[in-house]
Amino acid sequence: MDTNISVNISLGSCFHLPDPIFDQVSQRFTTNLITAIINIVTAPIAVIVNALVVTAIFGTSRLRTPSNLLIACLALSDVFVGLTAQPGYITYRLMENQTRSVPCFVKIIHCVAFYICFGVSFMTLTAVSYERFVAVRLGVRYNNLFSCSRVLKYMLGIWVLNVSLAALQWAKINHVARGTHHVVWLICLFVTGITQVAVFIIVRRSRQQVHGDAETIENVRKQREVKLALSISLIVGVYLILNFPVMFVTFYHQTLGYNLKSYNYCSWAETFAFLNSCSNPIILFWKNQQVRRRIKNILKNVVCW
């Protein structure tokens, strides 16, 4: 009876955020330590490399295309992952191991940073995928739908939506707000999957047409769009692979209400999702020659200075 009372008090001690079962911390001590070390190493790397991508694209006029701006906004969300979500996770797991308790403000930072950064990254990636679909599908009419100013407005809307949904979790409608967040993620997942399948079909047809036609300006443009679409598809694919575990755990545990047998699943799922912040700029550096050249120039200037 006393145990039930203490659990209820603990559950209500930090708004709607429940406490883990600290009596079982010894079972996940090693996982907490390993994942915390991984995030300690990768967080500063994610901040630095993504900041370089943002600086390269926003600081170079010829690189400020709608497609590149979407990539830069994705990199900007990854910067915030390295500055907020990963430090929140590290503090949470290390304090769990060391003191068998986690202060309320650490839980809040961990929860808010995760929902905002994960939501912004996921929705931005969906926008990136849809932008490539429009580019390879509509061709010359692309400029009527996408422009630099519109892209920035779209990104502002994504940030406002995710910050608002995360803020509503602290009202009395926290279950509704969190459920809405999850539904939006599902819609983004569906749209991303559909657009990527469509992009692959269009790219395959375009390659066949280009190989059969002469080298004209239009064919060169098509080849460039196809190459960029394949690069974006690689980023999307890696993102979905690394983030599928955390999406599955989140829906299984929080949306469907099933209890996990071990919190180790949550720790590894979040860590895999955080690793995506390092993979995106690496893929971009590998596939985008213009961005790669600009980043090299930035690094040379820093070294010379």
Side-chain angles (χ1 to χ4, degrees), residues 16-209:
H16 63 281
L17 301 178
D19 281 328
I21 303 174
F22 291 109
D23 294 338
Q24 299 179 3
V25 169
S26 59
Q27 299 177 10
R28 56 183 184 273
F29 182 91
T30 303
T31 298
N32 285 351
L33 182 60
I34 294 175
T35 54
I37 292 174
I38 292 174
N39 282 279
I40 289 173
V41 173
T42 57
I45 296 176
V47 173
I48 293 172
V49 294
N50 283 288
L52 285 172
V53 172
V54 173
T55 303
I57 293 176
F58 278 100
T60 309
S61 58
R62 59 187 175 84
L63 291 180
R64 288 197 293 268
T65 63
S67 180
N68 282 343
L69 286 179
L70 285 171
I71 294 297
C73 291
L74 182 62
L76 184 61
S77 67
D78 288 335
V79 170
F80 282 98
V81 169
L83 290 176
T84 59
Q86 287 184 275
Y89 175 88
I90 295 166
T91 305
Y92 192 109
R93 297 307 176 195
L94 291 181
M95 294 194 70
E96 190 179 27
N97 277 2
Q98 186 67 26
T99 65
R100 299 295 193 272
S101 64
V102 180
C104 184
F105 77 93
V106 175
K107 296 179 188 177
I108 292 174
I109 292 174
H110 177 253
C111 178
V112 172
F114 171 79
Y115 270 91
I116 293 178
C117 293
F118 186 79
V120 169
S121 296
F122 203 6
M123 293 181 194
T124 303
L125 194 83
T126 303
V128 170
S129 181
Y130 181 72
E131 184 270 342
R132 279 298 88 197
F133 167 74
V134 172
V136 297
R137 179 68 178 84
L138 298 182
V140 294
R141 290 184 293 169
Y142 168 86
N143 293 330
N144 296 330
L145 297 175
F146 281 94
S147 64
C148 293
S149 59
R150 287 181 180 177
V151 165
L152 295 178
K153 290 178 181 178
Y154 297 155
M155 292 303 100
L156 179 61
I158 287 175
W159 274 97
V160 170
L161 175 61
N162 281 279
V163 171
S164 300
L165 289 175
L168 287 175
Q169 289 191 25
W170 307 99
K172 293 183 179 181
I173 57 170
N174 59 291
H175 293 293
V176 176
R178 183 169 293 188
T180 303
H181 227 150
H182 296 167
V183 170
V184 171
W185 291 353
L186 277 178
I187 294 174
C188 290
L189 179 63
F190 178 77
V191 172
T192 302
I194 293 297
T195 52
Q196 282 304 299
V197 171
V199 165
F200 276 119
I201 295 174
I202 297 170
V203 164
R204 185 176 180 182
R205 292 176 181 174
S206 298
R207 279 185 163 180
Q208 294 174 351
Q209 293 175 357

